Amino acid sequence: EWTGGAVSQRLAFEVKVWRDKRSDPLDEGLVQLEEYLVRLGLEEGTLVLFDARSVAVPFEERGQVHWTQTAGGRRVRVWRL
């Protein structure tokens, strides 16, 4: 939660790391982030996925941002880094 003068804003973030021998953490991250969003009464949040696999594609190819939705219909900005 951030308050600056007359402006107050509440944000929800989840960060996941994609490691060797593991599956893409997107689905798990969306479930976890939706729990936060429900608890905080928010309709959107941000999921950051760091690809730390030893065979990860170059950053230029994986560095992307897109929107998706949780199972409950909340908007999520996904950052793949």
Side-chain angles (χ1 to χ4, degrees), residues 33 44-48 65-68 75-79:
L33 183 57
E44 70 179 49
T46 301
L47 175 59
V48 180
V65 178
H66 69 275
W67 286 95
T68 191
R75 287 176 32 105
V76 175
R77 181 182 295 117
V78 178
W79 292 67

Side-chain angles (χ1 to χ4, degrees), residues 1-68:
E1 188 165 4
W2 177 79
T3 303
V7 178
S8 180
Q9 189 172 19
R10 181 178 273 182
L11 305 170
F13 289 85
E14 176 59 26
V15 177
K16 293 288 186 194
V17 179
W18 191 354
R19 300 189 189 282
D20 288 334
K21 300 181 182 178
R22 296 233 137 128
S23 60
D24 185 343
L26 175 65
D27 292 339
E28 179 184 348
L30 288 172
V31 168
Q32 194 167 6
L33 183 57
E34 182 165 41
E35 291 173 3
Y36 301 153
L37 295 172
V38 168
R39 189 170 65 232
L40 296 170
L42 299 173
E43 291 301 314
E44 70 179 49
T46 301
L47 175 59
V48 180
L49 303 172
F50 288 101
D51 193 340
R53 298 174 298 159
S54 57
V55 294
V57 297
F59 177 78
E60 295 78 19
E61 295 176 35
R62 73 175 184 263
Q64 54 181 285
V65 178
H66 69 275
W67 286 95
T68 191

